[in-house]
């Protein structure tokens, strides 16, 4: 936004350039005035201009610009109408037309003229002199011109080739100087009717509510002598009807500083005389309080009644006889269709109705224990918005928001209205908003001067509050319903995202990214490893990435919040205090003023931006999973901002889901680490070097690593020049399969080194597996012994117990099985196994695999032994490593899905003879 303010002078248009066409103009408005003849003030005494970018927030900025400009000119009487019209016109420009908006304010002696221009002149150009058809008020567009017609003194539209300009003129109302209230001259027949002598009863009530004095007029009106009633409570004589909407009794009314209204006095003859009363609370020279009551007959109330300053708020019809909704009388028409707009209009109208300097409106939480600031005018709204105060702030009727209250001077009772502390307001009147007897909010108006308000203003404001309470509650419930629907959608999406990962770091990142900026401006996640560990700062996120490092540095230097398991959000003031003190220290050092007395800690030094980022409200929510606090979720707002109660409730729901997801990720990580460690223990640490034989092994575990697989391999020296090798597959996965795997691998090594041949080794291993009983598992195993020969060949003796047969690749490209199938282990007691001898000539390859390779599937297709044979046929002349890699690549390409079974590949190759 760019602005300019110029005192005095008249607005001047820039001179046209040589290639600029002469503007064409069309004007519409009251009287269809031509553009050159539109009414203008003769003297422009000041002007202010501003330009706003085509973004949504420009509407609020334009409202503030117009309000500040007119307030500075002393045009408070027309500020509200000007703001409403400007808001609609700027919305049309930046939202609907999608262009920048230029706003020009012109001051004259009799009012102000405001012009709003956009850069989309092709839109809805009316014909000169044609009838103007206004659109429906329910339509999104076109309401700006309707409002101009309803609120402005004069208005019009100008079109040029580059701009569309809407202007309106607001004239200042005539106001008698020095008059608080006045009425017009009336014919005698219209004057209020009274007796020949108007009697004003003066009754003084002491601090106990008893009658202390009773004048002669009181004796004449009610028939009691002074000595008959002196010392008696006034409540014995008064017939109190209870003013609707206030629930105030006679005893309470006598304790108010001011009160005015009607009730009845029961006379000596037993009849009730309706009276109009004016009460004033005073104190004598000894400081004793008492109440002076002035009473007249109700039909003579004009003697005491204070005239309303403006139209009566309970008017049910206008001067022309048309019915008017009392709500629209106060709010204006059209009423805002959103809650924030309705609340803002309410406080502005309430302030104007009581001629106040500020106004505020608070809404009650669901449990009616706190009130939340939702709208204000004349107060630092950014600082107060969503701040919360208790409904019952203290003892007595003034300490409860459920009853009307009038404070004549806040300096006499400091802290009576915490919301106004430090604002300069002296007098304030507050009234409750109630729907069907339930407290829904509180409306207050304040002034900078003392003794500004009395019970009269409280009744007027209560009357207005009763008219708007239902509309406000309806709008609030609508907003709450939309928020709850959005919250459900948010929580469903959050649950899906959190359930989609079991990685701890990714879970932490998701937690922060879901809260910023949806719920908070910045977020920090603390984690607790175990009950004896301190909270650890694990993740920090801010909507502005440049501030993340500063916040992380700040939080790392202060003590973390206590890990309290109590559910719900609690305020944590340490970050804001630390940032404020550290920024103060940095600023003073930069100004050469030395260090302040109070130091936070050395080495923090955040910038002022960091201090502002964490200077608002900060709340901590515990992350509780399985009855243990595993961390804390910290949410923060920038300087002077507060959290809405609905946001805190949503954050609490999210924290419960996030805590369970984080704990699941922790458990999964621990289980994965254990499984991987166990899996590594079941495989040989490294492979021995065999002179004259190339060996390559590839092992791929299926799944995500959280289960121990059943496939294994081994290659180990038995004695000099003799090596044992094995590749096997235990049925199933998990700890039971791991037990059999460990038993098989270690038993093979032990038995082979004891000198047993292949069949004897496998028979004894079969007996050991069967001895495991219910924990036993089937085992397919290919076991063999390898003897490298001096002629460059290698001799193998193999036993294939239920395992996929080993394949031999010759130099000429032929592939054949290198063994015959025999029974698998772990099924029957008596096995008769035998070994077969295979000789690998130079250049030959022996390929051994588990069934995860041969049973690789894609739909109904399976790789099988034939497919593996075809792949191996293409590996002639390749090294053992290249053969194993080609087989693995072919298996992975056979199907697009992730492998569902472990795979192990063992390739052994005898190199060809070197030629001279």
């Amino acid at each position: 936004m760019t602005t300019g303010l110029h005192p005095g002078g008249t607005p001047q248009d820039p001179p046209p350039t040589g290639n600029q066409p002469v503007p064409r103009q069309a004007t519409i408005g009251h009287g269809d005035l031509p553009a050159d003849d539109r009414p203008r003030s003769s003297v422009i005494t000041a002007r202010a201009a501003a330009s706003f970018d085509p973004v949504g927030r420009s509407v609020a900025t334009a409202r503030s610009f117009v309000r500040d400009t007119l307030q500075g000119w002393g045009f408070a009487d027309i500020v509200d109408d000007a703001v409403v019209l400007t808001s609609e016109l700027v919305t049309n420009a930046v939202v609907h037309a999608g262009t920048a908006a230029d706003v020009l304010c012109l001051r004259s002696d009799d009012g102000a003229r405001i012009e709003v221009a956009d850069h989309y002149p092709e839109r809805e150009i009316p014909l000169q002199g044609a009838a103007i058809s206004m659109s429906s008020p329910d339509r999104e567009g076109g309401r700006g011109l309707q409002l101009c017609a309803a609120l402005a003194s004069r208005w019009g539209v100008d079109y040029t080739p580059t701009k569309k300009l809407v202007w309106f003129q607001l004239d200042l109302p005539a106001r008698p100087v020095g008059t608080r209230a006045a009425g017009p001259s009336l014919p005698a027949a219209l004057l209020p009717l009274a007796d020949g002598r108007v009697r004003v009863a003066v009754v003084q009530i002491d601090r106990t509510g008893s009658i202390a004095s009773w004048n002669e007029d009181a004796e004449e009106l009610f028939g009691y002598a002074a000595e008959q009633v002196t010392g008696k409570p006034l409540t014995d004589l008064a017939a109190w009807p209870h003013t609707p909407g206030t629930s105030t009794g006679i005893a309470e009314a006598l304790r108010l500083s001011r009160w005015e209204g009607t009730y009845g006095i029961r006379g000596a003859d037993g009849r009730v005389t309706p009276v109009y009363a004016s009460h004033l609370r005073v104190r004598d020279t000894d400081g004793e309080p008492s109440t002076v009551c002035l009473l007249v007959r109700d039909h003579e109330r004009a003697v005491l009644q204070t005239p309303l300053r403006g139209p009566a708020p309970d008017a049910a019809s206008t001067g022309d006889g048309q019915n008017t909704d009392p709500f629209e009388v106060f709010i204006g028409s059209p009423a805002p269709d959103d809650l924030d707009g309705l609340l803002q209009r309410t406080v502005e109208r309430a302030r104007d109705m009581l001629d106040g300097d500020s106004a505020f409106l608070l809404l009650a939480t669901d449990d009616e224990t706190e009130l939340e600031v939702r709208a204000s005018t004349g107060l630092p709204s950014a600082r107060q918005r969503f701040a919360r105060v208790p409904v019952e702030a203290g003892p007595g009727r003034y300490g409860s928001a459920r009853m009307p209250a009038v404070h004549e001077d806040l300096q006499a009772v400091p802290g009576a209205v915490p919301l106004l502390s430090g604002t300069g307001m002296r007098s304030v009147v507050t009234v409750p908003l109630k729907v069907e007897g339930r407290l829904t909010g509180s409306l207050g108006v304040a002034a900078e001067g003392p003794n500004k308000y009395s019970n009269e203003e409280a009744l007027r404001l209560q009357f207005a509050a009763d008219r708007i309470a239902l509309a406000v509650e309806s709008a609030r419930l609508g907003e709450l319903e939309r928020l709850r629907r959005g919250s459900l959608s948010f929580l469903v999406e959050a649950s899906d995202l959190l359930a989609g990962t079991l990685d701890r770091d990714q879970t932490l990142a998701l937690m922060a990214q879901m809260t910023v900026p949806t719920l908070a401006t910045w977020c920090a996640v603390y984690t607790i490893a175990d009950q004896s560990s301190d909270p650890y700062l694990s993740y920090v996120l801010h909507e502005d990435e440049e501030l993340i490092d500063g916040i992380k540095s700040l939080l790392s230097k202060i003590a973390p919040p206590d890990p309290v398991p109590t559910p719900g959000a609690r305020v944590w003031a340490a970050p804001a205090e630390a940032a404020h003190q550290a920024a103060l220290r940095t600023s003073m050092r930069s100004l050469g003023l030395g260090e302040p007395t109070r130091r936070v800690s050395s080495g923090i030094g955040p910038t002022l931006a960091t201090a502002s980022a964490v200077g608002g409200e900060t709340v901590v929510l515990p992350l509780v999973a399985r009855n243990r606090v595993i961390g804390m979720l910290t949410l923060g707002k920038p300087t002077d901002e507060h959290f809405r109660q609905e946001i805190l409730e949503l954050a609490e729901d999210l924290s419960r889901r996030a805590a369970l997801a984080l704990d699941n990720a922790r458990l999964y990580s621990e289980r994965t680490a254990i499984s991987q460690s166990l899996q590594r223990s079941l495989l040989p640490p490294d492979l021995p070097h065999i002179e004259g034989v190339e060996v390559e092994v590839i092992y791929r575990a299926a799944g995500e690593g959280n289960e121990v697989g059943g496939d294994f391999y081994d290659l180990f020296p038995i004695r000099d020049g003799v090596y044992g090798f094995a590749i096997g597959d235990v049925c199933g996965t998990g700890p039971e399969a791991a037990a059999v795997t460990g038993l098989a691998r270690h038993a093979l090594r032990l038995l082979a080194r004891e000198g047993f041949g292949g069949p004897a080794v496998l028979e004894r291993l079969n007996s050991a597996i069967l001895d495991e009983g219910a924990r036993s598992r089937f085992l397919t195993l290919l076991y063999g012994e390898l003897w490298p020969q001096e002629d460059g060949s290698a001799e193998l003796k193999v036993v294939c117990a239920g395992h996929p047969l080993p394949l031999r690749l010759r130099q000429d490209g032929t592939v054949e099985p290198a063994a015959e199938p025999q029974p698998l282990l772990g099924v029957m007691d008596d096995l008769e196994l035998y070994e077969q001898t295979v000789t690998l000539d130079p250049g030959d390859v022996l390929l051994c695999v588990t069934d995860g390779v041969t049973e690789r599937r894609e739909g109904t297709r399976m790789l099988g032994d034939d497919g593996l044979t075809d792949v191996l046929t293409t590996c002639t002349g390749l090294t053992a490593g290249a053969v194993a890699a080609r087989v693995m690549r072919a298996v992975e390409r056979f199907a697009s899905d992730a492998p569902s079974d472990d795979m192990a590949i063992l390739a052994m190759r005898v190199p060809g003879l070197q030629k001279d």
Side-chain angles (χ1 to χ4, degrees), residues 763-785:
E763 290 170 0
R764 285 167 173 76
L765 176 59
N766 180 67
S767 299
I769 294 174
L770 293 175
D771 289 343
E772 292 294 311
R775 296 180 300 175
S776 64
R777 290 289 185 272
F778 305 151
L779 171 64
T780 67
L781 180 65
L782 171 65
Y783 174 76
E785 295 179 355

Side-chain angles (χ1 to χ4, degrees), residues 609-665:
T610 302
S612 176
V614 300
E617 188 176 42
T618 302
V619 297
V620 178
L621 296 104
L623 298 175
V624 181
R626 298 175 176 90
N627 298 321
R628 186 174 73 88
V629 180
I630 63 172
M632 284 88 69
L633 177 64
T634 302
L635 307 179
K637 287 282 190 178
T639 300
D640 296 329
E641 288 196 18
H642 298 266
F643 285 97
R644 296 181 58 177
Q645 185 64 30
E646 294 86 352
I647 296 298
L648 293 180
E649 293 173 358
L650 180 58
E652 185 177 356
D653 288 338
L654 176 64
S655 67
R656 288 194 291 266
R657 290 165 169 79
L660 187 59
L662 183 61
D663 198 48
N664 288 339

Side-chain angles (χ1 to χ4, degrees), residues 512 522-526 537 539-541 551 555 632-636:
W522 64 272
C523 166
V525 183
Y526 290 85
L537 182 61
Y539 202 91
V540 176
L541 183 65
I551 297 177
L555 295 179
M632 284 88 69
L633 177 64
T634 302
L635 307 179

Side-chain angles (χ1 to χ4, degrees), residues 855-863 891-898:
E855 294 179 3
R856 177 71 165 150
R857 293 181 178 276
E858 173 68 19
T860 58
R861 299 186 306 120
M862 186 174 71
L863 179 64
V891 171
E892 292 174 344
R893 291 177 177 176
F894 185 80
S896 57
D897 296 338

Side-chain angles (χ1 to χ4, degrees), residues 877-901:
L878 300 180
T879 63
V883 171
R886 178 170 291 187
V887 171
M888 177 57 69
R889 192 160 54 246
V891 171
E892 292 174 344
R893 291 177 177 176
F894 185 80
S896 57
D897 296 338
S900 58
D901 194 5

Side-chain angles (χ1 to χ4, degrees), residues 412-472:
V413 281
V417 185
L419 186 65
L420 301 180
S421 299
T423 61
M425 299 297 157
R426 295 283 297 276
S427 54
V428 60
V429 53
T430 61
V431 296
L433 273 68
K434 293 184 178 180
V435 175
E436 297 181 350
R438 183 174 58 87
L439 179 69
T440 60
S442 178
L443 176 62
V445 178
E448 296 179 353
N451 305 315
K452 183 71 177 293
Y453 301 118
S454 65
N455 192 62
E456 171 202 346
E457 285 78 15
L459 290 176
R460 292 180 61 198
L461 190 61
Q462 183 67 69
F463 190 91
D466 293 341
R467 291 298 181 270
I468 66 169
L470 185 59
V472 169

Side-chain angles (χ1 to χ4, degrees), residues 58-60 62-64 66 80-96 103 114 116 143-144 147 168 345:
S58 293
V59 179
R63 286 198 297 263
S64 299
V66 172
D80 291 334
D81 289 341
V83 168
V84 170
L85 294 176
T86 302
S87 178
E88 288 292 336
L89 297 178
V90 173
T91 300
N92 289 339
V94 302
V95 176
H96 302 307
V103 179
I114 298 177
V116 179
R143 292 187 300 192
L147 288 175
F168 59 88
R345 178 79 65 83

